[in-house]
Amino acid sequence: MANLLYSIKSFLLYLFLTIPVALMGQQVLFNKTIDFTPQIEALKASVVTEDGGSLSVVGYWSSIPGMEYDSTQLVKLDKYGCLEWEKLYDFLDGQVVETNIVKGFEDNYLINFRFENPDTESVDCATANFSLDGDFLSLDVYGWNDSNDAVLEMKSLEDGGLIMVGRHTFGVGPRGFAIRTDSTGSVLWELKYLEIQSVFSDVVVAPNGDYWITVNASAEDDNGVLLLKVNDFGEVIDEDLLFPNFLEDTDLVTVDIKFVNDSSFLVSATGLLYDVIEHTILTKFRVDGEIVWSYIAEPAFLDDDRTEDMVILPDGSILIGGWEDTPDLPIYERGWIKKISESGDLLWDIDYVPIDTSGLALYGNRVLDLDLLEDGSILMTGSANYILADTMPYLNTKIWTMKIDEDGNYLIPLEASLTTENLSIYVEDSTLLNLEILSSNGCYSYDWSGNGAVYVVDSDTGIYFVGSEVGMYEVSCTVTDETGATFTSSLVISVNEQDVGLSEIAEKGIHLYPNPAPEFISIRSNQPKEGLLYIYDNVGKLVTSMTIERDFQINEIEVN
């Protein structure tokens, strides 16, 4: 048997590098608006997705005179804040108001909204179930006849069910309620708090598995904020006044409750001095209800200074966000984010407005949601309002989104790197170019230049330089981000005469393809002899060997 030995020097130059843009260690910050039509897209809530992006639920108006929500819109952004997809849905006839969105435990998302139910002649709440790609799966309706019911907060549970809290409004005023469902959406129990007028503002799962619910109640004294503890059977096991003798002449409207650890928790709220002047309050409690510290913002004598969300950072500090009137023109709202230390001290307080290049008159910006990402950055989603000139409708609401670092910055120097593991290749061979975006302000694009640019091939498996002719080739890549910043990285690749490569092998009647290949190759031969075939990688390591027959073909040989 004749031995046929071929050392294929440029075969699979980058066996393990098949992704063109490296993401490890990358930092992305941005401040931008998203808009689809001249109509109103009012963002209601967002959730962070597993890929570091976000999914937002949006109330979509296309009938401005009556301000009806005609449709529900889902908007998926990637980690750069770039649009991946958006979809419109018409679940029910009549007015629909979205309230919140959560990630389920079975590769799904759940959206809650309230709607005018013609069957019960009341306003009920419903939960819509979606796939990760935004496909509508199912709808469950909750509520009671002859009342106006609204879910204000919803949390997904480890068993696939939900805990929802909100307000149940009928002839005698609002009453707080909680609904617990299983993974199929069926109601396990319902709880109505009928003692006094009240609203259940938030719910959190305590370390022992109970549900702790913040209650904004109508009380004759103190501040009317209760903490209700409910077990998983829907039974109230404890009820405490959360802020006894807290601030004179100030009522509190709680927004969020979060556990710091097993022994302490945080409650954020909007304080109302004399029932009118709003300001921010953040309080840390021990689990027994004792106050550890309180951060109380100085009232700025604005009618609106609303607290909306908070997030706990890995070092124990807290970010709280919201919006406020500007002093001169109340409708010209601005967003704000405050950072509070682990011990309750104000570290910084920054006002934000969106970066927008549309040229429209900006009159209102609201920070609504804050979420901590795995890389330590914070994603903010909210809404921005604009006035259209000489156009119907005259108003346009856009989605506003920011990604900031722990110091509140949303700008970062653009930096990129272009590398390859082999700067010297042979004619007819190729090498994978590794373009790494180290930092970027939002979405980016890139362009190629230099005398080697014509030989750059951008494919689904990567970006390759193909050595078509002998010579020295400069390859430069210029990256541009959304702020207009640019960064150029270059390298020089030498293309040499073939040693023993694919062309010589082909002359002997043996053909390998594709080259390069991330996982598999195929071999076809019209050799008149039997023999042994050895395949080496570019560093001389034997990848595989085999006995070949005359006129053979082998498909998908695994090489990784």
Side-chain angles (χ1 to χ4, degrees), residues 69 94 96 122 227 258 334 360 394 417 504 520:
Y69 290 92
V96 174
S122 60
L227 179 64
K258 294 183 186 298
R334 61 194 176 198
L360 301 176
Y394 296 109
S417 173
E504 187 173 338
F520 300 95

Side-chain angles (χ1 to χ4, degrees), residues 21-186:
V21 178
L23 300 180
M24 297 301 293
Q26 183 184 65
Q27 187 171 15
V28 179
L29 304 178
F30 52 77
N31 179 359
K32 61 193 293 184
T33 57
I34 309 290
D35 192 28
F36 302 100
T37 72
Q39 313 303 323
I40 290 180
E41 293 108 6
L43 183 139
K44 296 299 180 179
S46 298
V47 64
V48 171
T49 54
E50 293 180 354
D51 60 2
S54 64
L55 184 65
S56 298
V57 56
V58 177
Y60 180 89
W61 279 309
S62 60
S63 302
I64 301 300
M67 299 298 282
E68 293 89 358
Y69 290 92
D70 287 338
S71 304
T72 294
Q73 186 179 33
L74 285 183
V75 179
K76 174 65 174 71
L77 305 180
D78 65 14
K79 66 175 292 183
Y80 300 94
C82 307
L83 178 67
E84 289 190 358
W85 53 261
E86 58 91 15
K87 297 180 180 180
L88 288 174
Y89 310 88
D90 292 309
F91 300 110
L92 300 161
D93 295 331
Q95 187 179 25
V96 174
V97 179
E98 300 78 3
T99 57
N100 42 50
I101 180 172
V102 297
K103 174 71 172 64
F105 283 86
E106 296 182 358
D107 292 332
N108 65 317
Y109 292 100
L110 297 154
I111 296 174
N112 192 274
F113 55 91
R114 63 182 185 270
F115 69 102
E116 297 174 350
N117 192 338
D119 296 331
T120 61
E121 297 183 351
S122 60
V123 177
D124 290 333
C125 45
T127 298
N129 189 10
F130 295 86
S131 70
L132 298 182
D133 297 324
D135 296 327
F136 173 69
L137 301 176
S138 62
L139 181 72
D140 295 298
V141 177
Y142 310 98
W144 296 270
N145 294 340
D146 303 322
S147 64
N148 183 332
D149 306 313
V151 170
L152 301 181
E153 189 56 62
M154 174 174 67
K155 300 287 174 62
S156 54
L157 305 175
E158 292 185 358
D159 64 1
L162 294 170
I163 178 71
M164 298 176 281
V165 298
R167 67 171 182 266
H168 165 69
T169 306
F170 51 102
V172 295
R175 296 292 188 271
F177 75 81
I179 298 175
R180 168 75 158 97
T181 71
D182 62 17
S183 59
T184 68
S186 300

Side-chain angles (χ1 to χ4, degrees), residues 319 337-339 346-350 352 404 406-408:
L319 293 186
I337 297 176
K338 297 176 174 65
K339 186 173 184 179
L346 177 65
L347 300 178
W348 49 258
D349 182 356
I350 301 177
Y352 293 94
I404 63 174
E406 62 180 11
D407 296 319

Side-chain angles (χ1 to χ4, degrees), residues 517-556:
E519 297 181 352
F520 300 95
I521 62 168
S522 297
I523 301 178
R524 175 172 54 83
S525 172
N526 54 9
Q527 273 281 326
K529 300 178 181 180
E530 298 178 346
L532 295 174
L533 178 66
Y534 297 86
I535 301 175
Y536 295 83
D537 64 16
N538 64 303
V539 296
K541 180 181 178 181
L542 179 65
V543 176
T544 187
S545 63
M546 66 191 69
T547 301
I548 59 173
E549 308 291 338
R550 289 177 291 181
D551 300 325
F552 76 97
Q553 180 167 336
I554 303 175
N555 294 320
E556 292 193 347

Side-chain angles (χ1 to χ4, degrees), residues 360-482:
L360 301 176
L362 173 68
Y363 77 91
N365 320 284
R366 295 186 176 187
V367 169
L368 298 177
D369 273 353
L370 298 175
D371 289 287
L372 178 66
L373 301 174
E374 290 186 359
D375 64 1
S377 60
I378 298 92
L379 181 69
M380 185 287 299
T381 49
S383 61
N385 296 286
Y386 294 82
I387 300 174
L388 303 178
D390 302 324
T391 308
M392 274 295 292
Y394 296 109
L395 304 180
N396 182 25
T397 300
K398 299 183 179 184
I399 299 169
W400 177 24
T401 182
M402 287 197 306
K403 186 181 286 189
I404 63 174
D405 63 20
E406 62 180 11
D407 296 319
N409 302 307
Y410 59 78
L411 291 175
I412 188 172
L414 172 63
E415 186 176 0
S417 173
L418 179 64
T419 59
T420 183
E421 287 190 0
N422 197 338
L423 294 173
S424 179
I425 63 174
Y426 295 97
V427 172
E428 299 184 12
D429 293 339
S430 60
T431 182
L432 184 67
L433 302 178
N434 183 31
L435 175 61
E436 184 176 9
I437 309 300
L438 302 173
S439 58
S440 171
N441 296 286
C443 308
Y444 67 90
S445 60
Y446 53 86
D447 297 297
W448 300 97
S449 60
N451 65 332
V454 67
Y455 303 113
V456 175
V457 177
D458 200 337
S459 70
D460 291 339
T461 59
I463 304 172
Y464 299 94
F465 177 85
V466 180
S468 300
E469 299 181 33
V470 173
M472 300 292 291
Y473 297 95
E474 181 182 8
V475 178
S476 298
C477 183
T478 299
V479 181
T480 305
D481 68 20
E482 285 190 278

